[in-house]
Amino acid sequence: MDSPVTDDQTPFPQQLSDPVPAAPAPTGAGDESGAEPSDEPGDDVLRDRFHRVRQEVAKAVVGQDGAVTAVLIGLLVRGHVLLEGVPGVAKTLLVRSLSASLSLDTARVQFTPDLMPGDVTGSLVYDSTTGDFSFREGPIFTNLLLADEINRTPPKTQASLLEAMEERQVSVDGLGHGLPDPFLVAATQNPVEYEGTYPLPEAQLDRFLLKVTLELPQRGEEIEVVRRHAAGFNPSDLADAGVRPIAGADDVLAARRAVWRVAIAPEVVAYIVDVARATRQAPSFQLGVSPRGATALLNAAKAWAWLSGRDFVTPDDVKALALPCLRHRVSLRPEASMDGVSADDVLQGILATVPVPR
């Protein structure tokens, strides 16, 4: 398999490496051991399905392959993804297309200044026939929740997501209500317009596994977008665009179990810790990466190693995921920001200086 890191160390390659051809599934015929054949597909079959999911999403979304991969990694390690980009770069379409190709339920919540926590999580509703209050589930009870413009709602409503993202449940009137599995929050925010916004606090940013920047498309990609619309493409009708289900929730859960089996050498674990500790000593940062960030980097690297066809993590996997895993977990000093330094710049410098295990 090719290394997932390109020469310029972009977080995600534009294409996944072709998966290893899957071996025929055992049928159990002639098996004298008496063991029941497993209904769970093998790793190669699962990887092939996830590769085809990317191809299905590409029928509706041009480019943004890195964001698609980020959401897949989030599903594989029970993480959440923050998508940052200006309006009109297909953030909503991306989540809807991915949900359709994975046969997962999805819901979209437009976060506004007047949105209340109960509008997201659900609330108690009085039933006049019984005289009792019953819980009515909110849109958060889904597999893929698109939290659109999450920084436009007040902190009280933002905080209503914290328990759901971390504990996978919603508590109402002292009772916990479990969320479906898989469950992922894909939150979006506009990096340009800040008027009337409420920046996410560090505690909530830390709950996101990855932060991915969705760039404006290249000229050729934009021509393809406009060409598809000229040919009658309807973003609200994914079936007409040819997007079809390739995998399901069971495949996500089976792939998750396969990712947990990916091995990581002690030297690579130490490398992850050294990178995290270096962020706490960097002069340009006033806040470095916490141990939770190091754990997130480990899990994401395992998922990317598995998607790349390996059952072990390499330092290149760590480098490939370092920026999207860590950029939102650090805070620049004001003087560094005034000098035009970005968090990505400092992280790239750290990756260039921290010794890599051989």
Side-chain angles (χ1 to χ4, degrees), residues 220-273:
E221 294 174 337
E222 193 165 1
I223 289 175
E224 175 62 17
V225 171
V226 178
R227 186 200 65 78
R228 290 187 183 187
H229 281 266
F233 171 69
N234 182 3
S236 62
D237 189 354
L238 295 178
D240 185 62
V243 178
R244 56 192 179 90
I246 296 298
D250 290 341
D251 293 310
V252 173
L253 299 180
R256 185 182 293 168
R257 289 188 287 270
V259 168
W260 294 139
R261 295 193 296 267
V262 172
I264 181 165
E267 296 81 6
V268 180
V269 172
Y271 176 60
I272 292 173
V273 171

Side-chain angles (χ1 to χ4, degrees), residues 23-41:
T27 61
D31 186 357
E32 299 178 358
S33 65
E36 292 292 332
S38 174
D39 292 333
E40 189 168 294

Side-chain angles (χ1 to χ4, degrees), residues 240-319:
D240 185 62
V243 178
R244 56 192 179 90
I246 296 298
D250 290 341
D251 293 310
V252 173
L253 299 180
R256 185 182 293 168
R257 289 188 287 270
V259 168
W260 294 139
R261 295 193 296 267
V262 172
I264 181 165
E267 296 81 6
V268 180
V269 172
Y271 176 60
I272 292 173
V273 171
D274 289 342
V275 170
R277 293 178 67 85
T279 65
R280 303 168 205 162
Q281 301 167 1
S284 297
F285 287 153
Q286 63 181 2
L287 176 67
V289 175
S290 69
R292 180 188 287 137
T295 302
L297 180 53
L298 179 145
N299 291 333
K302 289 177 67 173
W304 180 235
W306 182 83
L307 285 170
S308 300
R310 284 177 281 102
D311 59 359
F312 60 92
V313 177
T314 69
D316 281 347
D317 297 324
V318 177
K319 288 184 176 182

Side-chain angles (χ1 to χ4, degrees), residues 103 121 153 354:
S103 296
T121 61
T153 201
V354 173

Side-chain angles (χ1 to χ4, degrees), residues 38-317:
S38 174
D39 292 333
E40 189 168 294
D43 284 9
D44 293 332
V45 174
L46 288 170
R47 267 191 292 263
D48 178 66
R49 289 177 184 173
F50 278 89
H51 178 65
R52 289 161 57 200
V53 163
R54 288 169 55 103
Q55 295 173 338
E56 290 300 309
V57 174
K59 294 178 180 178
V61 180
V62 179
Q64 312 302 2
D65 297 314
V68 176
T69 303
V71 178
L72 289 177
I73 289 176
L75 286 170
L76 292 177
V77 298
R78 293 169 59 88
H80 307 282
V81 181
L82 181 61
L83 304 173
E84 187 173 85
V86 298
V89 291
K91 297 185 292 292
T92 302
L93 182 60
L94 185 152
V95 175
R96 289 181 54 243
S97 303
L98 192 57
S99 176
S101 61
L102 287 171
S103 296
L104 299 178
D105 293 332
T106 186
R108 176 179 179 269
V109 177
Q110 183 68 45
F111 280 69
T112 57
D114 60 348
L115 192 72
M116 299 297 292
D119 297 330
V120 180
T121 61
S123 58
L124 293 176
V125 177
Y126 180 72
D127 188 343
S128 59
T129 60
T130 63
D132 294 327
F133 285 89
S134 60
F135 177 65
R136 178 176 295 174
E137 296 181 349
I140 201 171
F141 286 84
T142 187
N143 296 124
L144 291 180
L145 176 69
L146 177 61
D148 214 355
E149 294 190 282
I150 190 173
N151 57 336
R152 287 204 171 276
T153 201
K156 182 178 180 179
T157 305
Q158 292 175 358
S160 67
L161 287 175
L162 279 176
E163 181 188 16
M165 293 172 67
E166 189 69 18
E167 305 297 335
R168 311 285 164 152
Q169 70 169 16
V170 169
S171 294
V172 177
D173 198 27
L175 296 177
H177 303 269
L179 295 171
D181 194 17
F183 170 72
L184 179 142
V185 174
T188 72
Q189 62 181 14
N190 185 341
V192 177
E193 189 177 0
Y194 292 104
E195 184 177 353
T197 63
Y198 304 84
L200 292 174
E202 284 76 11
Q204 185 149 5
L205 284 173
D206 204 35
R207 295 306 195 278
F208 286 98
L209 176 76
L210 303 170
K211 178 183 176 183
V212 181
T213 302
L214 281 76
E215 304 288 351
L216 289 169
Q218 301 294 323
R219 182 176 183 273
E221 294 174 337
E222 193 165 1
I223 289 175
E224 175 62 17
V225 171
V226 178
R227 186 200 65 78
R228 290 187 183 187
H229 281 266
F233 171 69
N234 182 3
S236 62
D237 189 354
L238 295 178
D240 185 62
V243 178
R244 56 192 179 90
I246 296 298
D250 290 341
D251 293 310
V252 173
L253 299 180
R256 185 182 293 168
R257 289 188 287 270
V259 168
W260 294 139
R261 295 193 296 267
V262 172
I264 181 165
E267 296 81 6
V268 180
V269 172
Y271 176 60
I272 292 173
V273 171
D274 289 342
V275 170
R277 293 178 67 85
T279 65
R280 303 168 205 162
Q281 301 167 1
S284 297
F285 287 153
Q286 63 181 2
L287 176 67
V289 175
S290 69
R292 180 188 287 137
T295 302
L297 180 53
L298 179 145
N299 291 333
K302 289 177 67 173
W304 180 235
W306 182 83
L307 285 170
S308 300
R310 284 177 281 102
D311 59 359
F312 60 92
V313 177
T314 69
D316 281 347
D317 297 324

